[in-house]
Amino acid sequence: MEMFIVCLFSSVPLLLLVFGFMRSSRVLKRIGLLSYIAMVGIVFAVHWYFHSVYGFPFFLSLQESAVAIVVLFLMGVFFLLSVIIAHFKTPKSVRNTKAVSLFLLALFAHVSVLCFFLFPVGGKWEYANLLNRAAKVFEKEENIRDGKIRVELVFSAPRPCWRNCSDQDYRNLFMVKNYTNQPMHVQLKIEVFNARKEPLGHIESLETILQPGEYRPVIAKESNEEHSVWDQWTFTSDEQVAYFRYWYDARPER
């Protein structure tokens, strides 16, 4: 939902620009351009907010940035070839290389903004909501079996999908909290089940250090740590996780 809202929000200025050029309307062009600049400014402000409040990195991870750069490079090559072919193949009477070049350049710039700034905003927004949900879950007074460590499943849902979603993997995020008054080295083993109480697998977490009262996402050996922070999940599954049980090894930090 967050990603859909971001995409919808970003498309309005672009549509105003497109209609402005289609109708040769200076007013629409100006409104579209100013609204697009304002939208980019708002997006930068939101990135700064997530960085200040949640500590999310401002930019994508190195791996995701490299993928985006490769995609943009291939797109740029395709656009350049399209302009060259259109220039030589189109009759001079209808040729408008400048207009085509400007349109493709604007499209390329918008896709760049999408890749590096708009899509990450949607991911950060979704992940921040999960962290807020976890805060509310851990605030509830519940009996901790030994007063030390508590694990909760805060998210289990399929990846965003527009069609043919029947075989989509489920993203699952567990979080763990330290209820002691000292830093603890914690390592977890989690067994997960579907709604029919059939086992979906076992998860072994990486060892992490939790400060007193701190909670954080559970990063498992299956997690891709090269992804951006807001796209790191404990694990993925074929079905939604409905039940789980866990064991842990917790040692005071020395």
Side-chain angles (χ1 to χ4, degrees):
M1 177 59 72
E2 291 87 349
M3 192 69 71
F4 174 76
I5 294 174
V6 169
C7 291
L8 184 63
F9 167 72
S10 66
S11 64
V12 174
L14 188 64
L15 289 175
L16 288 174
L17 275 173
V18 170
F19 279 116
F21 279 102
M22 289 176 60
R23 297 179 177 276
S24 299
S25 170
R26 290 186 178 181
V27 175
L28 279 178
K29 289 179 187 177
R30 184 172 299 176
I31 293 175
L33 180 59
L34 292 177
S35 59
Y36 194 89
I37 293 173
M39 180 269 296
V40 172
I42 292 172
V43 167
F44 271 86
V46 173
H47 276 291
W48 182 255
Y49 168 79
F50 284 130
H51 175 72
S52 302
V53 176
Y54 297 96
F56 295 157
F58 200 90
F59 298 105
L60 297 170
S61 67
L62 289 176
Q63 182 189 62
E64 292 173 338
S65 295
V67 172
I69 290 172
V70 170
V71 171
L72 291 172
F73 174 77
L74 295 176
M75 183 178 293
V77 171
F78 174 76
F79 285 170
L80 180 61
L81 291 176
S82 300
V83 171
I84 294 173
I85 292 172
H87 179 77
F88 289 103
K89 293 292 186 180
T90 305
K92 290 184 178 181
S93 58
V94 296
R95 183 186 302 167
N96 194 343
T97 305
K98 182 179 179 180
V100 173
S101 300
L102 287 175
F103 172 77
L104 293 179
L105 183 62
L107 181 60
F108 180 81
H110 180 63
V111 173
S112 301
V113 172
L114 282 174
C115 290
F116 286 102
F117 300 107
L118 288 173
F119 288 155
V121 160
K124 291 179 182 181
W125 186 6
E126 179 186 43
Y127 208 78
N129 286 338
L130 296 182
L131 296 181
N132 293 337
R133 183 188 305 172
K136 293 179 180 178
V137 169
F138 285 123
E139 282 176 359
K140 294 178 181 179
E141 293 294 334
E142 294 189 11
N143 293 325
I144 309 303
R145 58 189 178 192
D146 57 6
K148 290 184 178 180
I149 302 298
R150 176 179 166 195
V151 175
E152 291 290 346
L153 175 66
V154 297
F155 185 77
S156 182
R159 295 182 181 276
C161 179
W162 304 107
R163 63 176 187 174
N164 298 327
C165 303
S166 57
D167 58 347
Q168 282 293 104
D169 289 336
Y170 280 77
R171 300 174 298 171
N172 303 284
L173 182 66
F174 284 90
M175 299 198 74
V176 56
K177 181 173 181 178
N178 176 12
Y179 280 85
T180 70
N181 57 4
Q182 57 185 324
M184 301 288 286
H185 286 264
V186 178
Q187 190 167 17
L188 302 164
K189 290 184 179 180
I190 306 174
E191 188 175 9
V192 293
F193 305 86
N194 59 20
R196 301 181 298 278
K197 297 187 178 181
E198 298 170 341
L200 295 176
H202 292 79
I203 307 157
E204 291 189 19
S205 76
L206 301 178
E207 185 174 292
T208 186
I209 299 176
L210 291 174
Q211 299 301 318
E214 181 185 16
Y215 60 89
R216 64 171 55 187
V218 175
I219 302 300
K221 295 179 180 179
E222 295 84 358
S223 305
N224 192 336
E225 294 187 271
E226 294 184 352
H227 283 182
S228 297
V229 172
W230 56 89
D231 196 30
Q232 290 181 9
W233 307 95
T234 306
F235 79 110
T236 58
S237 59
D238 295 331
E239 299 181 58
Q240 187 173 26
V241 174
Y243 306 98
F244 70 95
R245 56 185 178 184
Y246 63 93
W247 302 262
Y248 66 83
D249 177 25
R251 306 181 309 278
E253 185 182 19
R254 297 178 181 177

